[in-house]
Amino acid sequence: MSESTDPAPPADRTDPAGPAGEIAAGYAFTGPALDLGALLWDGDCLPDRQIRIPLAMLGRHGLVAGATGTGKTKTLQLITEQLSADGVPVFLADVKGDLSGISAPGTAGDRVGERARDVAQSWEPTGYPCAFYSLGGIGPGIPLRSTVTSFGPVLMSKVLQLNQTQEQSLGLIFHYADTKGLELIDLKDLRAVVAFLVSDQGRPELKGIGGLSTVTAGVILRALTAFEQQGASEFFGEPEFDTGEFLRTAADGRGLVSVLELPAVQDKPQLFSTFLMWLLADLYNDLPEVGDLEKPKLVFFFDEAHLLFDGASKAFLAAITRTVRLIRSKGVGVFFVTQTPKDVPSDVLAQLGNRVQHALRAFTPDDAKALKAAVKTFPRSAYDLEELLTQLGTGEAVVTVLSENGAPTPVAATRLRAPQSLMGPIAAADLEQAVKSSPLWSRYAAPVDRESAYEKISAEQAAAEARAEAAAAAAEAEKQAEEAQKQAARAARSTPKPDPSLAEQVVGSGLFRSLARSIGTQVGREISRSIFGTARRRR
């Protein structure tokens, strides 16, 4: 029997045993999950092959990456909407000012309708409960403030762009202030302590635990001055924001979306990226250990994440890595949003189990290198990822997440769903109304300046100056008294005696004294004669 020469039938793209079926099977979760979109395979969108992410796995951190204009912001919006609907609070850093639309229903249109049909989405315009914040009240939003003490020396060194030696010196300054009860609330408190420790009065204070050189202190003071000139004084002070406010839910049970409006400070990237790190670190310090939950307490989206790592010291990177690794057990998921995985240090990237990678460009040798690096961060797949990542359209991405048992899912090219909220900012008047109507506005809007290190050091220096002035005045008075006494003595010695009277002149004359002696001698003789019976000899 001869072997058949008929060509093999084409592979069925919907065959459960085929590559597309195997990929889709990796996303068939039994528990609550977020719907990301439909599988792309062999150039087609397969609406019956849904790509999802388990709700519980949102606490295992993630990365949303892609070139500018590829749809990262819409992906944040899509995930945020579904988290809120499932009762999970979300924190978003709105760097460009286009995420406030989450609070308003979206607008139907041809493109939205076409996308919904492609991915089998039941699209319905929906707004979600939001609270809007700003850094220190710069721009619209409830002011977020931190005290310098709670910000800490490591984060402060990052934002002041100090080197390792200067960072260690700043740590020493914080330690001194803490042990002496000098509260570092705002930047003038920190400046006052630094200036005091290099003064004649304060320099001996640090001898027991290490000195602070005048040069290093000068660098820190100049950095603080430059920092203040950027408007940073607004971010440090009281009332300090309670990051537990981010864990609230709305009255209807949906998770509250906290949107930090950053357009007013987008020209200060190191400041806002470091401040976001403080928010995350503060949550870590305050929240109790809860282990693995059915759904996270909060999901934190860290936009423009590459700014956080630029020029970071080893201590700062270690702090980020430790926080990201451990905060999962506090019920908080962290998603970094940036252009390529290469922007995130490998130790941090290793903690990010969920990946949504939008298109990358390969226009330059550096782009090509970043593309190859991104491909290496994915598990092995049925796709040619290096080619696929350059061909994805806007709103399409390569996805791999953690399954319900914690194992990575197969890599899936995905056409993502359309957000149901407004894809753009709301009107400025509506944003202001939302801010002023929040119950947190009255609690955090007005700054408070109470007694702290600056006031205590200023008072002590004023008292020391007063004591020094009093001592100097007393010494001067004593000196003047001694001088007056000396002048009186000199005056007494130099005063002329009055002229003697005529009788005094006669008595005091030499003639008078000679005559007196002569008379005295003669009288004596006469008395002797009368007593001893002798008489004058007569001639």
Side-chain angles (χ1 to χ4, degrees):
M1 186 174 174
S2 63
E3 190 177 50
S4 173
T5 58
D6 293 336
D12 183 0
R13 292 183 290 110
T14 63
D15 180 5
E22 292 177 1
I23 293 172
Y27 293 87
F29 309 124
T30 58
L34 276 59
D35 296 310
L36 297 179
L39 180 68
L40 289 170
W41 180 258
D42 199 20
D44 294 320
C45 181
L46 309 178
D48 57 333
R49 308 294 193 187
Q50 291 292 305
I51 304 303
R52 312 166 74 213
I53 177 172
L55 181 59
M57 292 298 109
L58 268 297
R60 297 292 186 94
H61 311 324
L63 175 73
V64 178
T68 301
T70 56
K72 296 191 301 293
T73 300
K74 301 302 180 287
T75 298
L76 299 189
Q77 202 165 340
L78 173 65
I79 297 175
T80 296
E81 291 175 355
Q82 295 185 66
L83 284 169
S84 176
D86 283 317
V88 179
V90 179
F91 176 91
L92 293 176
D94 188 8
V95 178
K96 297 183 288 293
D98 53 4
L99 286 173
S100 60
I102 293 178
S103 63
T107 303
D110 293 341
R111 295 180 64 183
V112 170
E114 182 182 358
R115 177 58 62 98
R117 287 190 297 273
D118 285 348
V119 300
Q121 176 185 8
S122 298
W123 190 89
E124 183 179 349
T126 309
Y128 296 84
C130 290
F132 298 96
Y133 300 93
S134 65
L135 286 186
I138 296 182
I142 300 163
L144 298 184
R145 298 184 184 90
S146 162
T147 64
V148 171
T149 293
S150 118
F151 205 71
V154 174
L155 290 177
M156 186 63 73
S157 297
K158 160 68 174 174
V159 83
L160 295 180
Q161 302 181 43
L162 303 181
N163 62 30
Q164 185 174 359
T165 300
Q166 294 155 0
E167 181 178 328
Q168 292 170 348
S169 295
L170 188 61
L172 188 65
I173 293 166
F174 272 71
H175 175 72
Y176 171 80
D178 186 52
T179 56
K180 295 297 182 178
L182 298 172
E183 292 181 277
L184 302 178
I185 293 176
D186 50 29
L187 292 180
K188 72 177 184 293
D189 290 327
L190 180 57
R191 193 192 315 107
V193 174
V194 176
F196 171 74
L197 289 176
V198 292
S199 67
D200 292 338
Q201 182 182 359
R203 194 175 292 114
E205 295 281 331
L206 283 181
K207 282 187 177 180
I209 55 176
L212 175 66
S213 75
T214 304
V215 174
T216 299
V219 171
I220 294 173
L221 289 172
R222 286 193 296 274
L224 282 171
T225 300
F227 193 35
E228 288 176 299
Q229 289 174 347
Q230 295 179 13
S233 297
E234 301 290 336
F235 312 127
F236 295 95
E238 291 181 323
E240 184 173 47
F241 187 76
D242 179 4
T243 52
E245 304 285 4
F246 296 144
L247 304 177
R248 294 180 297 148
T249 56
D252 60 4
R254 290 185 296 174
L256 187 68
V257 181
S258 298
V259 184
L260 177 59
E261 294 293 333
L262 294 170
V265 293
Q266 61 181 322
D267 58 337
K268 305 172 181 63
Q270 280 199 318
L271 173 62
F272 72 70
S273 65
T274 310
F275 203 92
L276 289 177
M277 191 60 210
W278 169 78
L279 293 178
L280 194 59
D282 195 68
L283 282 167
Y284 168 73
N285 289 328
D286 290 348
L287 292 176
E289 294 279 341
V290 294
D292 292 326
L293 301 174
E294 292 183 358
K295 62 181 181 181
K297 287 185 174 182
L298 173 72
V299 177
F300 190 104
F301 285 94
F302 211 127
D303 201 5
E304 301 292 341
H306 65 281
L307 300 173
L308 181 67
F309 305 107
D310 288 346
S313 67
K314 290 182 179 179
F316 183 74
L317 290 175
I320 295 175
T321 304
R322 182 175 61 253
T323 301
V324 171
R325 184 176 66 251
L326 299 178
I327 202 170
R328 180 181 67 81
S329 64
K330 306 294 185 83
V332 178
V334 182
F335 274 68
F336 291 95
V337 185
T338 188
Q339 294 195 0
T340 75
K342 193 177 179 182
D343 294 334
V344 181
S346 57
D347 288 345
V348 177
L349 192 62
Q351 309 296 322
L352 312 181
N354 302 298
R355 308 282 294 281
V356 180
Q357 177 67 62
H358 288 264
L360 292 173
R361 310 305 180 205
F363 299 142
T364 69
D366 286 343
D367 290 343
K369 187 181 297 184
L371 175 61
K372 289 181 181 295
V375 169
K376 290 179 180 179
T377 63
F378 281 90
R380 294 180 62 184
S381 76
Y383 297 95
D384 181 348
L385 288 180
E386 194 167 335
E387 180 180 358
L388 177 62
L389 286 174
T390 61
Q391 296 177 350
L392 292 171
T394 301
E396 297 177 346
V398 171
V399 175
T400 180
V401 301
L402 294 178
S403 66
E404 290 171 311
N405 61 9
T409 58
V411 176
T414 307
R415 182 163 293 167
L416 299 168
R417 293 187 168 212
Q420 298 185 126
S421 57
L422 182 64
M423 290 187 278
I426 60 175
D430 294 338
L431 178 57
E432 184 176 359
Q433 174 62 27
V435 171
K436 297 292 178 64
S437 62
S438 169
L440 301 183
W441 175 254
S442 59
R443 190 181 310 171
Y444 293 107
V448 176
D449 188 12
R450 62 184 176 88
E451 184 184 58
S452 50
Y454 172 79
E455 288 79 12
K456 291 178 180 179
I457 291 176
S458 297
E460 187 175 333
Q461 289 178 335
E465 289 174 3
R467 290 193 297 269
E469 289 177 1
E476 182 64 23
E478 184 178 353
K479 181 180 178 181
Q480 290 179 356
E482 290 177 356
E483 184 62 27
Q485 187 176 4
K486 291 178 181 178
Q487 289 178 356
R490 287 195 296 269
R493 289 194 298 271
S494 62
T495 301
K497 293 181 179 181
D499 294 337
S501 62
L502 178 60
E504 289 174 333
Q505 291 178 10
V506 171
V507 171
S509 65
L511 177 63
F512 180 81
R513 288 195 296 272
S514 177
L515 178 61
R517 285 196 298 272
S518 175
I519 293 173
T521 301
Q522 184 176 358
V523 170
R525 288 194 187 110
E526 290 296 329
I527 293 172
S528 298
R529 289 192 189 103
S530 64
I531 292 175
F532 296 108
T534 59
R536 179 179 290 180
R537 185 183 295 172
R538 292 182 180 179
R539 293 184 180 178

